Amino acid sequence: MIFLDEPTSGLDPTAARDLTDLIIRLKERGHTIFLTTHRLAEAEALADQIAIIDGRLIAVDSLAGLTARYSSQRVSFRFVGGGERWQELLATLAGVQDLRWEDGALVAAVDDPHDRTPALVHALVTAGAQIR
């Protein structure tokens, strides 16, 4: 098991590439490597799983999973009272690709939030939802 904290920080491009190649070779040999970095390209090249930590563990997933979950293609809804019954309605609406609960909000992955959000809100309100 290897722990690395910002291993390429401060290195010239050649040294950074050499170190990245070494990390890849170690990974291919089955070593577990914990790596901290703020460079998304580095994480994408080296990591199978990525954790987001902000004083506590926020999420662990692949880069694709995290991108889908935390990209700007999401619309969050908070409801007065329980919102579980509105999840079924949202799941049937055009453009909604995924739904999940996060910190008390129903978060919808939407193909085009700018165009779809008004229709989603309209459908919810028409059905009786009270949105905060």
Side-chain angles (χ1 to χ4, degrees), residues 93-108:
L93 299 177
V96 177
Q97 300 168 340
D98 182 45
L99 290 167
R100 62 181 79 220
W101 286 96
E102 295 178 13
D103 298 323
L106 182 56
V107 180

Side-chain angles (χ1 to χ4, degrees), residues 18-107:
D18 290 346
L19 182 56
T20 299
D21 291 344
L22 174 62
I23 293 169
I24 290 169
R25 285 194 308 275
L26 291 170
K27 178 181 159 186
E28 288 171 349
R29 290 185 202 157
H31 293 277
T32 299
I33 302 168
F34 287 89
L35 170 79
T36 62
T37 185
H38 63 278
R39 297 177 177 151
L40 190 56
E42 188 171 70
E44 184 175 24
L46 298 174
D48 296 320
Q49 293 284 304
I50 297 173
I52 298 174
I53 300 171
D54 184 16
R56 64 181 175 85
L57 184 62
I58 305 295
V60 178
D61 205 339
S62 65
L63 180 59
L66 290 173
T67 300
R69 191 182 317 171
Y70 293 103
S71 72
S72 62
Q73 303 289 29
R74 300 168 2 120
V75 179
S76 297
F77 296 96
R78 292 189 186 274
F79 300 96
V80 175
E84 289 75 18
R85 65 188 246 188
W86 307 118
Q87 183 172 357
E88 290 180 32
L89 171 62
L90 279 172
T92 66
L93 299 177
V96 177
Q97 300 168 340
D98 182 45
L99 290 167
R100 62 181 79 220
W101 286 96
E102 295 178 13
D103 298 323
L106 182 56
V107 180

